């Protein structure tokens, strides 16, 4: 008996879509997965890659947490920790890419979890994965745009004379105001058509690549004092001032810089309903963005570290940049050679533009996830968030993402500890969302999983298990104390933040969502 579903094509006859049919078109494949085409499918493989590469943005992550790398291990941790984290991140990406090829929808991770778990556990798995994914994405946008606001504050400080020259130091209220303006600009840009987003995305990718190569060559070339190769490749900094002496412990804490940077590559999956040949180009976007970021990022680390000669001074809050390590490196490199740090400030502007593009692309990814999640009825006021405008852009989801990210940043006004705990979800919470569908693929769906055009063959299960174990490992490591003795100010609140998200998600399922949420639902008439 033929159990195929008959779908009427607009302006054409009915055709049958059965379980075994091969549907060449992207729209046809999307119909197989239960959705009609609502977004404009105008992204090429390069455009899909560009959005994700811009979100990973090695300039953003490495610039923001370079001071953390210097504190915990210094050059040794950064130079060798980056490729270690990079390899395991690529393994996670390979597993995600395989699943993405099988299920190319904007829902991404939560859709995968639902399909891989089946009817019994699918709705709960989808609910858990979806909320960890979307909250993690909002935390990423918050973190990225707030780091840009802080960088702008440092640029203003240096431009007005520096901390030791009477420069202007913006208050936390000014910083949050700058953060709000940045989010407003990102929401406006993301309200444009997909063709404009494609253009900005490719411009952002080019800016990130060129910017990295310019800075990694220019900064050490300009600096009058440069580190030796022995220092860059062998020096291990144990003077962290946090009461931690174990080199292994210090090395582990220093890995956060690398892992924080290498996140956000699920964006390629969330953009698949707008990507041509999505079951091939979505996976390519994930893998290529990670691979190129690893190479480019390592070059950036090496280049900048060759300009490091005095770690304790770079981390000192009383230096001209107020303890912002990379800003001080850039500023002093030019000041030592030319008598002023204008060139360094311009270089910081290059970094700032890259971070701006990163936040822009992050809002793009956030909005597509919110659009898909609300399309399946998982969010409060779902009918509002999954509406698309005449340009086929999920406009309400765009502005929701910007608004939530601004609200999350407001915690910085009350407590820096609370803000850091919330932002920690950007790394651990997001990686948990990455690991869940991979775990389901290697367990519940080990025999039933039907791969797409991109697949790992017989190595899929092995690579999947390595990915899951890596996420479990970093979830524990990055929850360890970062300073001793442990006080309210030094306690690592990451497990608290992630635990609260887990409790809220599970509780909402038990008391409410289990009665009405059924996982991904079709929006086509059959």
């Amino acid at each position: 008996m033929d159990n195929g579903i008959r779908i009427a094509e607009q302006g054409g006859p009915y055709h049958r879509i059965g379980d075994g049919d091969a549907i060449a078109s992207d729209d046809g494949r999307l119909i197989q997965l239960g959705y009609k085409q609502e977004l404009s499918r105008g992204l090429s493989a390069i455009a899909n890659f560009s959005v994700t590469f811009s979100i990973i943005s090695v300039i953003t992550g490495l610039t923001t947490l370079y001071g953390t790398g210097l504190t915990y291990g210094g050059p040794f941790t950064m130079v060798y920790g980056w490729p270690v984290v990079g390899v395991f991140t690529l393994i996670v990406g390979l597993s995600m890419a395989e699943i993405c090829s099988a299920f190319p929808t904007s829902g991404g991770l939560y859709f995968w979890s639902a399909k891989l778990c089946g009817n019994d556990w699918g709705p709960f798995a989808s609910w858990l994965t979806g909320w960890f994914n979307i909250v993690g994405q909002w935390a990423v946008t918050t973190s990225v745009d707030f780091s840009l606001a802080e960088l702008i504050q440092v640029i203003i400080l240096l431009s007005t004379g520096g901390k030791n020259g009477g420069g202007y130091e913006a208050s936390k209220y000014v910083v949050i105001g700058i953060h709000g303006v940045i989010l407003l600009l990102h929401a406006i840009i993301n309200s444009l058509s997909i063709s404009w987003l494609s253009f900005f995305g490719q411009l952002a990718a080019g800016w990130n690549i060129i910017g990295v190569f310019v800075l990694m060559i220019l900064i050490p070339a300009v600096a009058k004092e440069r580190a030796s190769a022995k220092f860059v490749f062998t020096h291990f900094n144990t003077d962290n001032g946090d009461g931690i002496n174990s080199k292994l412990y210090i090395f582990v804490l220093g890995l956060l810089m690398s892992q924080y940077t290498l996140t956000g590559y699920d964006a390629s999956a969330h953009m698949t309903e707008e990507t041509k040949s999505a079951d091939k180009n979505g996976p390519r976007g994930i893998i290529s963005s990670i691979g190129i970021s690893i190479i480019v990022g390592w070059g950036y680390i090496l280049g900048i570290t060759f300009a490091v000669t005095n770690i304790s001074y770079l981390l000192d809050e009383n230096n001209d940049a107020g303890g912002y390590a990379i800003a001080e490196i850039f500023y002093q490199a030019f000041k030592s050679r030319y008598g002023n740090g204008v060139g360094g400030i311009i270089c910081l502007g290059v970094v700032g533009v890259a971070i701006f593009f990163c936040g822009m692309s992050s809002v793009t990814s956030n909005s597509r996830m919110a659009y898909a999640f609300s399309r399946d009825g998982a969010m409060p006021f779902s009918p509002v968030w999954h509406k698309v405008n005449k340009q086929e852009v999920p406009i309400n989801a765009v502005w929701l993402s910007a608004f939530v990210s601004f609200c999350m940043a407001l915690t910085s006004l009350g407590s820096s500890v609370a803000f850091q705990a919330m932002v920690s979800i950007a790394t651990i919470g997001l990686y948990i969302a990455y690991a869940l569908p991979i775990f389901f693929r290697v367990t519940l769906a080990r025999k039933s999983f039907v791969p797409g055009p991109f697949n790992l063959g017989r190595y899929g299960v092995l690579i999947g298990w390595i990915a899951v174990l890596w996420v479990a490992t970093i979830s524990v490591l990055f929850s360890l104390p970062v300073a001793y003795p442990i006080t309210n100010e030094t306690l690592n609140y990451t497990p608290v933040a992630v635990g609260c998200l887990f409790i809220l998600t599970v509780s909402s399922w038990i008391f409410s969502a289990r009665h009405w949420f059924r996982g991904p639902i079709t929006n086509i008439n059959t």
Side-chain angles (χ1 to χ4, degrees), residues 24 29 47 49 65 85 118 123 208 214 233 242 291 328 335 340 363 403 413 438 478 480 486:
R29 179 66 184 126
F49 155 80
L65 288 185
V85 171
N208 271 272
V214 168
F233 289 99
D242 292 322
E328 186 66 19
K335 188 176 182 179
N340 65 73
V363 172
F403 177 74
L413 298 177
I438 299 174
F478 294 159
L480 296 173
I486 300 174

Side-chain angles (χ1 to χ4, degrees), residues 138-139 141-143 145-146 172-181 183 402-420 422-423:
W138 284 332
T141 300
T142 303
S143 176
D145 281 4
F146 195 82
K172 60 184 179 181
Y173 299 102
V174 173
V175 173
I176 200 70
I178 296 172
H179 174 72
V181 172
L183 280 168
F403 177 74
V404 171
S405 296
F406 179 73
C407 291
M408 293 176 82
L410 291 176
T411 56
S412 66
L413 298 177
S415 167
S416 61
V417 173
F419 177 70
Q420 292 302 323
M422 182 274 302
V423 170

Side-chain angles (χ1 to χ4, degrees), residues 61 73 91 116 147 204 212 251 261 276 302 329 359 368 399:
I91 288 174
L116 293 169
S147 69
V212 164
F251 181 81
T261 303
K276 301 170 185 176
L302 287 175
I329 292 171
R368 272 51 181 183
W399 287 90

